[in-house]
Amino acid sequence: CSCRGTSGFAHLSCIVNYAKSEGKRLYEREGPSACMRPFKTCPNCKQYYQNDVHKALAKACVDFVEEGFEDKKNCFNHYNIYAHALMIQLAAMDGENVGEKAGGEEITTKFISLMEEVKSQLEQLEILDRGRFLIIRDAFINLEANGNANIGHFYMSMNSKEGQLKAKEHYEKARDLFKTMRPKEAEISVSEMNRIISEVESVLSGSEFHDEDEGADVNYLQRIYYECLRIYGHNSCMTIRAGVNLAKALLDETRTIEAEKLLSKLVDISLSTHGHEHRSTKEAMSVLTSARECKVVVRLDDVSGWFQALRYENEGEDCVVQGPIADPRNVDEEEQYSFESTRIIPFPGTPVVCHGLQKAAHLNGKIGDVRGLDVKEKEDGNKYFDVDIDRCVVHFEDKSLAPVKVKATNLRVVFDLPNETTP
């Protein structure tokens, strides 16, 4: 969890026994939705369990339900708890692990069987109480839809064609179930399932996936992040993970400034709440480190390729870089070089500041991301970046400024973004 020091240690068996005891107590006092809380969050730090402890508690939660803890007066409460417990355990499974693959498929079979049992009970309820039937039916359609989406995620984690085909089947079932729900509630879910299905189809066909809606990933992940903020609060590892996923999508769209500012905030929160050794902190710090690698291109006769810009020297006249960067990168084989700053071409995704502009002097000092390179075809038929002819496409941090094409010689890499002036 996020406990530190001596308070961070307890016997797993003690945690499981506590969760079972507390789960029963919470069910009686607060209802079905509360009884699974002790299996997910630590009673001391109030944060989610992680890694192997999370897997162990997820299994214990299923055992807790299967061992006979059920509401004999209302079987639907039991079905609901059991289905959620199964999905919590499935979400912790790694399809590439042989042992966990078998366990995940067993959970999938249990979930599908449970949903069939629910449908049978609903048929009887419809005859007895139509109003109650409609309320419960809608809740279980949502549960079955989300369950199939989770099953799809599990099969995708197998990284095999067999798994991808099964994943596609469950994603399609989830989408079709979402479509039967109220439009406003299901619109986002149906859209997301369609996007995932298209990605799976691209993987199966061996073609590259292109989302017709530019920025769709960012928009979707932004909604998820804000929803986590609303539900869990800013210091929850669920919110931090959602924020990191959003930052990764921003980086994919070369929106580095936005990503770096978000990641810096997430790292500060995670360090304060969870500590240096927590998975959420390590992941956020890893992505932030990657985001701060200012990539540039240098074209010379004896040295050329991608480099990481490190700093300016001689009042900005020279730029110290490290590289060339291989794929995959091997830092140990890289060397440092010093080039004239006029030789440096900022690569897309690198934060820059304009300087020395004459006709657009109002842009000098303005910070933005390089989002692309406008490269003209040369007389010899080749397309390479010529610092005298070609331009970098810059999108400014100040959204009131339109994107512009700027010579690389009029740009300087920004190594340290200015601090936010507003909370």
Side-chain angles (χ1 to χ4, degrees):
C1 54
S2 296
C3 289
R4 282 167 270 176
T6 56
S7 64
F9 297 91
H11 294 110
L12 182 59
S13 58
C14 295
I15 299 175
V16 170
N17 288 334
Y18 165 80
K20 289 180 178 180
S21 174
E22 185 68 2
K24 289 181 180 179
R25 187 186 71 82
L26 287 172
Y27 185 93
E28 294 170 357
R29 292 186 60 178
E30 300 182 29
S33 62
C35 72
M36 294 170 66
R37 193 188 307 151
F39 294 93
K40 297 189 290 184
T41 57
C42 169
N44 293 326
C45 66
K46 313 301 181 187
Q47 298 298 326
Y48 283 94
Y49 292 117
Q50 303 290 315
N51 306 319
D52 289 342
V53 178
H54 166 59
K55 289 182 179 182
L57 268 292
K59 182 181 183 303
C61 187
V62 172
D63 294 340
F64 170 66
V65 180
E66 290 181 340
E67 285 169 1
F69 175 61
E70 57 180 294
D71 188 336
K72 299 185 184 299
K73 296 180 182 178
N74 186 347
C75 64
F76 292 109
N77 279 343
H78 174 66
Y79 294 146
N80 184 41
I81 295 169
Y82 191 24
H84 276 95
L86 289 170
M87 287 303 99
I88 289 171
Q89 188 178 9
L90 185 64
M93 295 285 187
D94 178 5
E96 283 194 293
N97 182 297
V98 176
E100 293 188 13
K101 174 184 175 183
E105 290 182 318
E106 181 183 348
I107 294 169
T108 296
T109 301
K110 287 181 178 180
F111 180 83
I112 293 172
S113 175
L114 179 64
M115 289 299 102
E116 291 303 314
E117 189 176 341
V118 168
K119 290 170 188 175
S120 174
Q121 292 291 336
L122 282 171
E123 288 176 0
Q124 298 178 39
L125 180 63
E126 184 177 16
I127 299 170
L128 299 172
D129 189 339
R130 171 95 180 147
R132 185 162 175 259
F133 158 78
L134 292 173
I135 295 171
I136 294 176
R137 182 200 62 181
D138 288 349
F140 275 94
I141 287 175
N142 185 37
L143 181 59
E144 186 179 8
N146 281 289
N148 274 279
N150 285 337
I151 293 170
H153 297 334
F154 165 71
Y155 278 120
M156 279 301 289
S157 74
M158 292 182 182
N159 285 325
S160 67
K161 186 170 183 179
E162 176 192 3
Q164 291 154 3
L165 287 168
K166 288 183 178 180
K168 182 173 179 286
E169 177 185 337
H170 285 282
Y171 286 139
E172 288 173 340
K173 188 169 184 180
R175 177 197 59 194
D176 294 342
L177 285 165
F178 281 128
K179 282 182 177 178
T180 66
M181 297 167 61
R182 293 176 185 141
K184 286 185 178 179
E185 296 175 1
E187 184 179 348
I188 294 175
S189 298
V190 171
S191 174
E192 174 61 7
M193 287 300 103
N194 280 329
R195 189 183 67 82
I196 292 176
I197 291 167
S198 295
E199 286 187 28
V200 177
E201 289 173 343
S202 297
V203 172
L204 288 168
S205 65
S207 60
E208 188 175 349
F209 173 70
H210 294 286
D211 200 317
E212 294 180 1
D213 180 10
E214 185 178 351
D217 273 355
V218 167
N219 293 335
Y220 171 73
L221 292 170
Q222 198 168 47
R223 287 197 295 267
I224 296 295
Y225 175 57
Y226 287 140
E227 189 69 4
C228 286
L229 278 172
R230 184 183 67 83
I231 297 172
Y232 305 113
H234 70 280
N235 63 357
S236 164
C237 58
M238 298 283 285
T239 303
I240 293 168
R241 193 167 301 131
V244 170
N245 289 336
L246 171 58
K248 288 178 180 178
L250 289 167
L251 289 171
D252 287 342
E253 293 191 3
T254 63
R255 294 163 62 176
T256 304
I257 294 175
E258 292 175 70
E260 185 176 331
K261 290 191 173 184
L262 173 59
L263 287 164
S264 296
K265 180 172 69 175
L266 294 173
V267 166
D268 288 344
I269 292 170
S270 196
L271 281 171
S272 174
T273 306
H274 307 291
H276 282 84
E277 297 304 314
H278 195 277
R279 184 177 66 178
S280 296
T281 305
K282 289 181 175 180
E283 185 182 12
M285 291 180 74
S286 174
V287 179
L288 177 58
T289 299
S290 178
R292 286 176 170 168
E293 293 177 353
C294 302
K295 303 289 178 58
V296 297
V297 177
V298 179
R299 283 185 59 87
L300 292 173
D301 293 335
D302 55 340
V303 181
S304 63
W306 291 4
F307 292 81
Q308 179 180 344
L310 301 178
R311 62 186 178 275
Y312 285 108
E313 293 182 343
N314 299 326
E315 297 183 349
E317 293 297 318
D318 301 316
C319 184
V320 178
V321 301
Q322 180 174 308
I325 298 174
D327 186 17
R329 187 172 185 179
N330 187 344
V331 177
D332 293 335
E333 294 183 358
E334 297 174 2
E335 296 182 18
Q336 288 191 13
Y337 303 86
S338 180
F339 298 116
E340 293 179 2
S341 296
T342 53
R343 298 278 189 178
I344 301 299
I345 305 165
F347 198 73
T350 298
V352 294
V353 59
C354 294
H355 82 106
L357 293 170
Q358 301 296 323
K359 294 182 179 179
H362 66 288
L363 296 178
N364 290 328
K366 300 298 182 182
I367 294 174
D369 296 309
V370 174
R371 299 281 178 89
L373 301 177
D374 183 29
V375 182
K376 310 296 184 185
E377 186 172 333
K378 308 305 184 288
E379 292 182 359
D380 58 8
N382 294 322
K383 290 191 74 172
Y384 55 85
F385 195 97
D386 186 318
V387 293
D388 295 319
I389 300 173
D390 302 315
R391 301 288 188 272
C392 297
V393 181
V394 179
H395 287 238
F396 292 102
E397 183 182 21
D398 183 348
K399 302 303 180 186
S400 67
L401 298 173
V404 296
K405 296 177 181 179
V406 185
K407 278 187 176 183
T409 51
N410 290 115
L411 298 174
R412 289 289 182 268
V413 175
V414 176
F415 297 106
D416 297 303
L417 293 175
N419 294 327
E420 295 279 4
T421 56
T422 57

